[in-house]
Amino acid sequence: MNSKSVSGFSKLNKSQKIEWLSQNYLVESDDEQSTFETYWLPDQNVQKVIDGFSENTISNFIMPYGLAPNFMIDGKIFCVPMVIEESSVVAAASSAAKYWLDRGGFKTTILGTTKVGQVHFKWFGKHALIESIFPDIQAYLLQNVGPLIENMSKRGGGITKIELINFTDDEPGLYQIRVNFETCDSMGANFINSVLENFASGLEEYFVDSGLIPDELRDVDIIMSILSNYTPDCLVRSEVSCKIEDLGTFANGMMAEQLAEKFRTAVKIAHIDPYRATTHNKGIFNGIDSVILATGNDFRATEAAGHAFAARDGQYRSLSYCEIKDGIFRFWLDVPLAIGTVGGLTSLHPLAKKSLDVLGNPSAEQLMRIIASVGLAQNFAAIRSLVTTGIQQGHMKMHLMNILNHLGASDSECSDAVVFFEDKTVSFSGVRDFLSSIR
Ligand code: MEV
């Protein structure tokens, strides 16, 4: 066994884990307080809550928490919290929010709120038989699951559809029970998975006890029960529009008509070419993920759903659309967002809770509207830069501070550098040369 392996690691306390790590893995040793300890929270109760989210924790990984004000969404103005480490994302969102504030803001539509779960199983009887008794199976499963869904039903949610899907052409004996859920303001992952596991054991019982299945076919083999992160019917649209002439004039003196046409073409390219579509959608998720993180939602689930949705016709394409018709510029985003504003981390993480407070404690649907609008704003800002000045000008301006910090610049050196690079291209070597020239 590798000498660096360990058993009983989870039983060590934090300091012991750090000690073990530095003895076995760290190349640079911390002389004073360990870097990991520097980021422990002073309030031990909060630290305990944060530690409870994961396992084997030794520290907290900090990220910037920023605000993008001036988001007018369906007539109401929001200041949106964003957690992201990439320079210029918050600045871009804020700039696009302000731009559209003067042009009617973002208008949103909830296109669906359905979440999905699946019980995968094998059974080797005749398909016609299972199909004919499926209504009876459904009734049995629903009766069985009753107490589990009581609370959700009271809140207006629950199970909205149950289907049997036959995959036996792809794999002998393979079926799926696909279940649609309404989970109201919760993301509902635990609720869905509990219902599905209950369905799985109910299915096994039904095959043994119903008396409708011949003795030799009573064995149903449950493979797995789990929600699906593909949620094409938990979908929100956010859009902006205005008369072309109201778009105004852009950097480099670009006029509204030219901007509109280049912009439309840039979006079209992301519908034609998956290489561009991936970058284009990544920009959208710069906005989406940062609000998902700030509100304690699951960014992996959101990303997985978004990218699967982007490939729903067999080719990966843009999640946003642009149209120029009758003198109107219209730009919109359709994105699946299976999120929650109650349960999970949303109320446990102190800053997630605060973010929801900042947003006026929205329902899950309201949060879908906000997040989609931030995604669209981000996409708007990125394309506007790409088709006018190029992305690097703004990006490197924001990145200047990172380079200065990296090179250990003082406050006054930073101020001088900002003035010096006002009309110049920022690069690592350029900043290094500038600092040596003034030091
Ligand atoms: C960078 O994080 C995101 C962009 O590349 C998005 C885009 O190209 O549309 C600027």
mmCIF file of all heavy atoms in Angstrom, residues 1 19 32 38 96 117 119 160 168 179 186 189 207 296 328-329 332 430 439:
data_model
loop_
_atom_site.group_PDB
_atom_site.id
_atom_site.type_symbol
_atom_site.label_atom_id
_atom_site.label_comp_id
_atom_site.label_asym_id
_atom_site.label_seq_id
_atom_site.Cartn_x
_atom_site.Cartn_y
_atom_site.Cartn_z
ATOM 1 N N MET A 1 0.838 -1.206 0.000
ATOM 2 C CA MET A 1 0.000 0.000 0.000
ATOM 3 C C MET A 1 0.874 1.257 0.000
ATOM 4 O O MET A 1 1.891 1.292 0.679
ATOM 5 C CB MET A 1 -0.901 -0.015 1.236
ATOM 6 C CG MET A 1 -2.203 0.741 1.004
ATOM 7 S SD MET A 1 -3.079 1.043 2.540
ATOM 8 C CE MET A 1 -3.869 -0.547 2.781
ATOM 9 N N GLU A 19 -2.407 18.561 9.796
ATOM 10 C CA GLU A 19 -1.095 18.059 10.183
ATOM 11 C C GLU A 19 -0.699 16.872 9.288
ATOM 12 O O GLU A 19 0.395 16.813 8.724
ATOM 13 C CB GLU A 19 -1.201 17.624 11.667
ATOM 14 C CG GLU A 19 0.010 16.953 12.289
ATOM 15 C CD GLU A 19 1.148 17.937 12.498
ATOM 16 O OE1 GLU A 19 0.858 19.141 12.516
ATOM 17 O OE2 GLU A 19 2.300 17.489 12.601
ATOM 18 N N GLU A 32 3.910 30.108 10.056
ATOM 19 C CA GLU A 32 3.088 30.535 11.191
ATOM 20 C C GLU A 32 1.790 29.723 11.186
ATOM 21 O O GLU A 32 1.830 28.517 11.173
ATOM 22 C CB GLU A 32 2.841 32.050 11.091
ATOM 23 C CG GLU A 32 4.147 32.835 11.212
ATOM 24 C CD GLU A 32 4.078 34.184 10.545
ATOM 25 O OE1 GLU A 32 2.976 34.647 10.236
ATOM 26 O OE2 GLU A 32 5.149 34.766 10.321
ATOM 27 N N THR A 38 -6.210 29.973 8.453
ATOM 28 C CA THR A 38 -6.501 31.397 8.248
ATOM 29 C C THR A 38 -7.941 31.605 7.808
ATOM 30 O O THR A 38 -8.544 32.625 8.110
ATOM 31 C CB THR A 38 -5.555 31.956 7.171
ATOM 32 O OG1 THR A 38 -4.238 31.644 7.555
ATOM 33 C CG2 THR A 38 -5.697 33.453 6.989
ATOM 34 N N ALA A 96 -25.018 45.646 -18.628
ATOM 35 C CA ALA A 96 -26.165 45.251 -19.469
ATOM 36 C C ALA A 96 -27.485 45.551 -18.750
ATOM 37 O O ALA A 96 -28.465 45.958 -19.382
ATOM 38 C CB ALA A 96 -26.073 43.767 -19.818
ATOM 39 N N GLY A 117 -38.422 12.294 -12.441
ATOM 40 C CA GLY A 117 -37.671 11.227 -11.773
ATOM 41 C C GLY A 117 -37.909 9.905 -12.482
ATOM 42 O O GLY A 117 -38.870 9.766 -13.255
ATOM 43 N N VAL A 119 -37.640 5.432 -12.227
ATOM 44 C CA VAL A 119 -37.300 4.141 -11.620
ATOM 45 C C VAL A 119 -36.970 3.211 -12.787
ATOM 46 O O VAL A 119 -37.816 2.974 -13.657
ATOM 47 C CB VAL A 119 -38.484 3.556 -10.806
ATOM 48 C CG1 VAL A 119 -38.113 2.190 -10.239
ATOM 49 C CG2 VAL A 119 -38.907 4.517 -9.698
ATOM 50 N N THR A 160 -47.435 14.624 -10.847
ATOM 51 C CA THR A 160 -48.403 15.082 -11.856
ATOM 52 C C THR A 160 -48.585 14.084 -13.004
ATOM 53 O O THR A 160 -49.542 14.190 -13.764
ATOM 54 C CB THR A 160 -47.969 16.449 -12.440
ATOM 55 O OG1 THR A 160 -46.636 16.321 -12.943
ATOM 56 C CG2 THR A 160 -47.987 17.530 -11.363
ATOM 57 N N THR A 168 -37.084 -2.175 -24.000
ATOM 58 C CA THR A 168 -36.656 -3.559 -24.222
ATOM 59 C C THR A 168 -35.992 -3.761 -25.589
ATOM 60 O O THR A 168 -35.270 -4.735 -25.787
ATOM 61 C CB THR A 168 -37.833 -4.540 -24.046
ATOM 62 O OG1 THR A 168 -38.895 -4.108 -24.909
ATOM 63 C CG2 THR A 168 -38.326 -4.576 -22.619
ATOM 64 N N VAL A 179 -41.623 9.670 -13.826
ATOM 65 C CA VAL A 179 -42.586 10.380 -12.984
ATOM 66 C C VAL A 179 -42.353 11.882 -13.101
ATOM 67 O O VAL A 179 -41.215 12.341 -13.017
ATOM 68 C CB VAL A 179 -42.412 9.958 -11.496
ATOM 69 C CG1 VAL A 179 -43.567 10.496 -10.657
ATOM 70 C CG2 VAL A 179 -42.289 8.451 -11.355
ATOM 71 N N SER A 186 -39.349 24.357 -3.579
ATOM 72 C CA SER A 186 -38.113 23.617 -3.287
ATOM 73 C C SER A 186 -37.562 23.019 -4.578
ATOM 74 O O SER A 186 -38.320 22.738 -5.515
ATOM 75 C CB SER A 186 -38.366 22.512 -2.267
ATOM 76 O OG SER A 186 -39.301 21.606 -2.779
ATOM 77 N N ALA A 189 -35.047 17.699 -4.737
ATOM 78 C CA ALA A 189 -34.265 16.492 -5.025
ATOM 79 C C ALA A 189 -34.538 15.397 -3.992
ATOM 80 O O ALA A 189 -34.792 14.236 -4.366
ATOM 81 C CB ALA A 189 -32.785 16.829 -5.066
ATOM 82 N N PHE A 207 -45.610 -6.768 -7.677
ATOM 83 C CA PHE A 207 -45.394 -7.948 -8.522
ATOM 84 C C PHE A 207 -45.573 -9.242 -7.731
ATOM 85 O O PHE A 207 -45.995 -10.252 -8.271
ATOM 86 C CB PHE A 207 -44.003 -7.878 -9.187
ATOM 87 C CG PHE A 207 -44.057 -7.145 -10.498
ATOM 88 C CD1 PHE A 207 -44.290 -5.778 -10.532
ATOM 89 C CD2 PHE A 207 -43.923 -7.814 -11.703
ATOM 90 C CE1 PHE A 207 -44.388 -5.087 -11.735
ATOM 91 C CE2 PHE A 207 -44.011 -7.145 -12.912
ATOM 92 C CZ PHE A 207 -44.248 -5.778 -12.931
ATOM 93 N N GLY A 296 -27.321 29.539 -3.040
ATOM 94 C CA GLY A 296 -27.220 28.190 -2.459
ATOM 95 C C GLY A 296 -27.881 27.119 -3.301
ATOM 96 O O GLY A 296 -28.289 26.074 -2.785
ATOM 97 N N ILE A 328 -37.746 46.055 -35.015
ATOM 98 C CA ILE A 328 -37.567 45.762 -33.584
ATOM 99 C C ILE A 328 -36.434 44.751 -33.406
ATOM 100 O O ILE A 328 -36.382 43.720 -34.097
ATOM 101 C CB ILE A 328 -38.866 45.170 -32.962
ATOM 102 C CG1 ILE A 328 -40.053 46.116 -33.149
ATOM 103 C CG2 ILE A 328 -38.667 44.793 -31.492
ATOM 104 C CD1 ILE A 328 -40.029 47.355 -32.291
ATOM 105 N N PHE A 329 -35.542 45.053 -32.479
ATOM 106 C CA PHE A 329 -34.477 44.119 -32.082
ATOM 107 C C PHE A 329 -34.989 43.337 -30.874
ATOM 108 O O PHE A 329 -35.412 43.934 -29.883
ATOM 109 C CB PHE A 329 -33.234 44.930 -31.695
ATOM 110 C CG PHE A 329 -32.123 44.117 -31.072
ATOM 111 C CD1 PHE A 329 -31.160 43.503 -31.860
ATOM 112 C CD2 PHE A 329 -32.041 43.984 -29.691
ATOM 113 C CE1 PHE A 329 -30.127 42.765 -31.277
ATOM 114 C CE2 PHE A 329 -31.016 43.245 -29.104
ATOM 115 C CZ PHE A 329 -30.057 42.637 -29.906
ATOM 116 N N TRP A 332 -33.594 36.903 -26.753
ATOM 117 C CA TRP A 332 -34.166 36.148 -25.636
ATOM 118 C C TRP A 332 -33.422 34.848 -25.352
ATOM 119 O O TRP A 332 -32.672 34.346 -26.192
ATOM 120 C CB TRP A 332 -35.654 35.919 -25.844
ATOM 121 C CG TRP A 332 -36.045 34.907 -26.887
ATOM 122 C CD1 TRP A 332 -36.430 33.617 -26.679
ATOM 123 C CD2 TRP A 332 -36.141 35.115 -28.311
ATOM 124 N NE1 TRP A 332 -36.743 33.011 -27.878
ATOM 125 C CE2 TRP A 332 -36.582 33.904 -28.890
ATOM 126 C CE3 TRP A 332 -35.889 36.207 -29.155
ATOM 127 C CZ2 TRP A 332 -36.777 33.756 -30.256
ATOM 128 C CZ3 TRP A 332 -36.081 36.054 -30.531
ATOM 129 C CH2 TRP A 332 -36.520 34.847 -31.054
ATOM 130 N N GLY A 430 3.431 43.942 -19.859
ATOM 131 C CA GLY A 430 3.286 45.398 -19.888
ATOM 132 C C GLY A 430 3.184 45.959 -18.470
ATOM 133 O O GLY A 430 3.813 46.978 -18.146
ATOM 134 N N ARG A 439 9.404 51.980 -10.151
ATOM 135 C CA ARG A 439 9.909 51.587 -8.825
ATOM 136 C C ARG A 439 11.316 52.093 -8.587
ATOM 137 O O ARG A 439 12.075 52.269 -9.533
ATOM 138 C CB ARG A 439 9.887 50.067 -8.699
ATOM 139 C CG ARG A 439 8.537 49.584 -8.242
ATOM 140 C CD ARG A 439 8.416 48.099 -8.152
ATOM 141 N NE ARG A 439 7.077 47.782 -7.611
ATOM 142 C CZ ARG A 439 6.539 46.578 -7.632
ATOM 143 N NH1 ARG A 439 7.190 45.576 -8.163
ATOM 144 N NH2 ARG A 439 5.356 46.382 -7.102
#
